[in-house]
Amino acid sequence: MKLSRIILHHLRIPMKEVFKTALGTETVRDTLLVEVWGEGGEVGWGEVVATHSPWYSSETVETAWHVIRDFIAPSLRGKDVEPSTFGDEVSWIRGHRMCKAGVEFALWDLKGRLTSKPIRDLIGGVKDRVEVGLSVGVIGDFARLIKAVSEGLSKGFRRIKLKVKPGWDVDPVRAVRREFGEIPLQVDANGSFTLTGDHVSRLKELDRYGLLMIEQPLHHEDLVKHSKLQKMISTPICLDESIRSALDAEAAYNLGSCRVINIKPGRVGGLAETLRIHDFWAGKGLPVWIGGMLETGVGRAFAVAAASLPSVKYPSDISPSSRFWEVDVVEPPWELRSDGTMEVPRKPGIGVEVLDKVVRRYEVKSLGISLS
Ligand code: OSB
Ligand code: MG
């Protein structure tokens, strides 16, 4: 595919629901939407899942803006590009995986629209509907925690994930087990625990609650300590931040650092790398699921497509549009069915339409770069 231009849109959207993790509190979502134009004027959309601050990864909206404007866009000029090989083309740029994913996503959407195929079909997805779970932030108050879980279960979410951190760990899990019994339950620490005595005893205590998995308990750069921890507990460890690529997945497998991977297509450089990780992990007989990054409806489309892959064996963190957004930037918005699943679109590309009016409403700045 030849491109005629790329347009960057920096959006700043107030969140309906505050989201708190071990690492900070999100109340406003800064995001970068990427619009690519084919030679014939067809349009594809993607989203860089980085935000205003580098709390989850080293990337931000501004670093992505810089890397796309100064390195990726110039390298696309006059080239024939394909989404499946785009990641290899820009592999000379080290890191910046969220940034690369945002562009790659837009290429998949464009490809889907040009070939009249949904992204699911382009990547080998097999499901018509995907299972969805709810990620509940670090609430810090038991009554509000129980209310949030109860509402999530009554909406149909297939499992509950509690964000935890040292000091808000065993108690919320015990409270939820006491109130709701053996529901599918897991926790996510965003790397906030260490292998010191006090933390290890808390992790061992968590091990007694029949959790589906414990996500990213330790430092994101420490596969070795995760491997030590996995030998100390029987609950499967799931890695999120630690897995940036298929090479990381291979290392984690060889070290025994985890049994499950939360793949976020936006974190690992896009859908091509998502497939590599999925296929490698599936080849070992192990399950994956798809994580969320508080994306707008554009980013969610790629998570939904990825969640339709065959070895996605757990519910994925794909919040419906109405959870965080007053109005989503896409039409129709992403909706949870009462059975806790989400429909995988059959329309071409991302299968939803981006609403210019909403993009303009939240736009902080934009930049068009001609590629012809
Ligand atoms: O660690 O999984 C995470 C949201 C932002 C940053 C990191 C994480 C999350 C979530 C998913 O837990 C929430 C969602 O997008 O619905
Ligand atoms: Mg996580």
Side-chain angles (χ1 to χ4, degrees):
M1 308 185 299
K2 287 252 174 70
L3 306 179
S4 63
R5 57 177 171 154
I6 184 164
I7 307 169
L8 304 180
H9 305 267
H10 177 168
L11 271 51
R12 183 167 295 148
I13 318 176
M15 293 173 71
K16 264 169 79 180
E17 182 184 326
V18 169
F19 193 74
K20 215 169 158 189
T21 71
L23 306 170
T25 306
E26 299 293 292
T27 55
V28 176
R29 185 70 165 97
D30 278 66
T31 191
L32 182 59
L33 297 187
V34 180
E35 182 183 356
V36 297
W37 285 47
E39 282 185 305
E42 315 81 358
V43 173
W45 286 89
E47 178 169 3
V48 175
V49 302
T51 188
H52 61 97
S53 133
W55 66 267
Y56 172 88
S57 85
S58 60
E59 295 186 71
T60 67
V61 167
E62 288 295 329
T63 66
W65 187 280
H66 158 55
V67 171
I68 295 174
R69 182 193 58 202
D70 297 334
F71 302 105
I72 295 182
S75 81
L76 292 174
R77 200 159 279 136
K79 281 246 184 69
D80 224 334
V81 282
E82 284 299 321
S84 54
T85 52
F86 168 77
D88 301 326
E89 298 281 343
V90 293
S91 63
W92 64 273
I93 300 171
R94 293 195 179 179
H96 298 284
R97 291 181 173 85
M98 293 180 169
C99 163
K100 293 169 179 172
V103 179
E104 195 226 44
F105 287 164
L107 296 175
W108 284 108
D109 183 31
L110 179 61
K111 175 99 187 169
R113 290 177 193 269
L114 289 172
T115 58
S116 296
K117 284 188 179 150
I119 290 170
R120 177 192 70 176
D121 294 4
L122 296 177
I123 64 170
V126 295
K127 301 173 194 167
D128 293 329
R129 288 179 191 143
V130 299
E131 283 190 287
V132 178
L134 179 67
S135 174
V136 177
V138 172
I139 288 184
D141 173 278
F142 290 101
R144 286 175 51 218
L145 170 71
I146 297 301
K147 185 162 176 271
V149 173
S150 162
E151 282 173 6
L153 292 172
S154 65
K155 285 182 183 147
F157 284 101
R158 295 269 179 115
R159 64 96 175 109
I160 301 295
K161 161 169 137 181
L162 302 182
K163 289 287 200 180
V164 294
K165 63 176 188 178
W168 179 259
D169 41 46
V170 179
D171 293 341
V173 168
R174 187 188 301 116
V176 168
R177 277 283 183 241
R178 189 175 295 155
E179 188 75 22
F180 304 102
E182 292 308 303
I183 57 165
L185 185 65
Q186 63 196 60
V187 295
D188 182 1
N190 286 106
S192 57
F193 285 79
T194 60
L195 276 193
T196 55
D198 178 40
H199 286 190
V200 168
S201 53
R202 281 171 184 268
L203 291 163
K204 283 188 173 164
E205 221 180 306
L206 281 173
D207 200 25
R208 299 176 11 213
Y209 284 89
L211 300 172
L212 294 171
M213 64 193 84
I214 299 180
E215 181 174 337
Q216 198 67 47
L218 308 175
H219 196 278
H220 62 282
E221 288 169 325
D222 207 336
L223 291 178
V224 171
K225 287 203 190 73
H226 278 103
S227 154
K228 288 188 178 147
L229 177 63
Q230 184 65 91
K231 291 181 183 77
M232 292 156 49
I233 58 177
S234 55
T235 308
I237 290 177
C238 168
L239 289 178
D240 171 356
E241 287 94 316
S242 290
I243 307 297
R244 300 156 302 179
S245 63
L247 275 176
D248 281 341
E250 205 180 314
Y253 177 77
N254 286 315
L255 286 165
S257 309
C258 65
R259 297 197 203 119
V260 184
I261 296 177
N262 163 353
I263 308 180
K264 294 179 179 169
R267 181 192 73 227
V268 302
L271 288 174
E273 195 70 8
T274 293
L275 287 176
R276 285 190 195 116
I277 297 171
H278 170 274
D279 293 353
F280 172 79
W281 213 246
K284 304 297 179 190
L286 295 169
V288 302
W289 56 282
I290 306 301
M293 286 293 295
L294 316 173
E295 297 96 328
T296 72
V298 174
R300 297 293 187 193
F302 300 91
V304 168
S308 76
L309 292 169
S311 276
V312 173
K313 305 279 192 194
Y314 290 104
S316 295
D317 281 342
I318 309 173
S319 294
S321 300
S322 63
R323 178 174 183 200
F324 294 116
W325 317 125
E326 215 62 69
V327 259
D328 203 342
V329 297
V330 301
E331 183 64 45
W334 297 98
E335 274 169 6
L336 185 73
R337 295 158 43 88
S338 58
D339 66 354
T341 66
M342 217 175 258
E343 202 88 44
V344 182
R346 302 204 191 140
K347 291 195 188 142
I350 58 176
V352 289
E353 295 305 321
V354 175
L355 299 168
D356 279 334
K357 203 176 70 193
V358 182
V359 170
R360 276 199 302 273
R361 172 164 160 194
Y362 294 118
E363 195 163 76
V364 178
K365 56 177 180 172
S366 72
L367 173 71
I369 305 166
S370 168
L371 298 178
S372 49

